[in-house]
Amino acid sequence: MTVQRILSWTPAAIVFDCDGTLMDTECHWQDARISALRAFGFIPAPGFAERAKGLHYTECGALMAEEAGHPELTAGLTERLLADFRALAEARPLTMPGAPQLVEQAARFAPLAVASNCPREVVEASLSTAGLLHRFGHVVVPDGPDDRDGIRPKPHPDVYLTAARLCGADPADTLAVEDSHCGVEAAERAGMRILGVGPWPGDRTAALVDLWVRSLDEPAVRGWAGARVPAQIARNRPTMNP
């Protein structure tokens, strides 16, 4: 990992993943996957949670049906998965440690966007409940499954490329903040520098990021963001003629 590619650098834009990065919703997705499978009489296979993490919910529904041996149940499992997740997320919205503070600081020196595999209404409702939605200039999510020429879900790079373009930044000058291999792969394909967050993901994922931290509340992250704010203010201050 090239740590200094992050800690000594000021990005032109920052694009955050939502689930597991800004909002503590991975537990809700995990519970929703289990409840959806049980509603159809199945139980998750070993390792299913890791295979499903970060997938678009439609792809997750297809994966559940495939692993259950009943691909004809894809639509029903997908619908139940999303309904169960929405109920859980609305009942217990939680932010990830350090996420609100980092967003508040980052919004002072760079345009911000969200790139998520979740439905737009779910992302916006979660961020609004957390008081963070107004900090993001753009929320980018995949187009519907019937729109084959639109924005594809992660691990395709589309959501990240679109978010950088909307922020007016080159992808190479943009920082992606991610927690899953699926999302990290999307950001890497987009050509961004990547800050990974969460439990150690293993060498395969870590090899794709510039810096991996356990939490956005770590001193290194807080110090990096805090140091960017006065520098940006100084650059933006008008020069006084003598």
Side-chain angles (χ1 to χ4, degrees):
M1 291 185 292
T2 51
V3 173
Q4 291 307 313
R5 275 172 53 87
I6 298 292
L7 297 182
S8 63
W9 171 65
T10 302
I14 304 177
V15 184
F16 290 83
D17 170 56
C18 186
D19 285 1
T21 301
L22 293 173
M23 301 300 298
D24 188 2
T25 49
E26 184 53 37
C27 61
H28 299 327
W29 279 118
Q30 184 171 339
D31 289 345
R33 290 190 290 261
I34 293 171
S35 65
L37 283 167
R38 285 179 176 171
F40 283 79
F42 307 116
I43 59 172
F48 176 74
E50 189 58 34
R51 292 191 294 277
K53 186 177 181 181
L55 291 179
H56 190 263
Y57 74 95
T58 57
E59 295 179 342
C60 186
L63 180 63
M64 290 194 296
E66 177 185 347
E67 295 203 1
H70 289 273
E72 73 277 7
L73 297 178
T74 294
L77 280 164
T78 301
E79 183 179 354
R80 180 60 184 260
L81 170 66
L82 185 57
D84 288 356
F85 169 76
R86 282 175 165 162
L88 291 166
E90 289 174 5
R92 195 162 63 96
L94 300 169
T95 56
M96 294 299 290
Q101 294 81 3
L102 178 58
V103 168
E104 293 293 332
Q105 285 186 309
R108 299 178 64 186
F109 66 84
L112 307 184
V114 171
S116 174
N117 265 355
C118 280
R120 178 179 299 278
E121 61 271 21
V122 173
V123 175
E124 292 184 346
S126 296
L127 294 176
S128 179
T129 301
L132 297 177
L133 182 60
H134 69 289
R135 293 299 187 187
F136 295 97
H138 309 281
V139 173
V140 181
V141 301
D143 289 331
D146 296 328
D147 188 348
R148 302 301 179 187
D149 298 322
I151 299 174
R152 299 168 296 176
K154 305 171 189 176
H156 296 288
D158 301 24
V159 288
Y160 276 111
L161 291 172
T162 301
R165 175 177 57 80
L166 291 172
C167 287
D170 188 285
D173 297 325
T174 300
L175 175 66
V177 187
E178 267 288 354
D179 75 304
S180 70
H181 181 82
C182 179
V184 166
E185 188 176 352
E188 193 271 339
R189 290 181 179 181
M192 295 181 175
R193 301 189 199 187
I194 306 169
L195 172 64
V197 59
W200 183 250
D203 294 342
R204 174 170 169 249
T205 303
L208 301 177
V209 309
D210 296 282
L211 173 63
W212 192 277
V213 295
R214 177 81 183 186
S215 165
L216 295 179
D217 198 33
E218 285 196 9
V221 177
R222 288 189 280 110
W224 167 80
R228 309 270 82 72
V229 174
Q232 187 68 23
I233 291 173
R235 279 197 294 270
N236 291 339
R237 184 177 294 124
T239 301
M240 302 297 293
N241 293 323

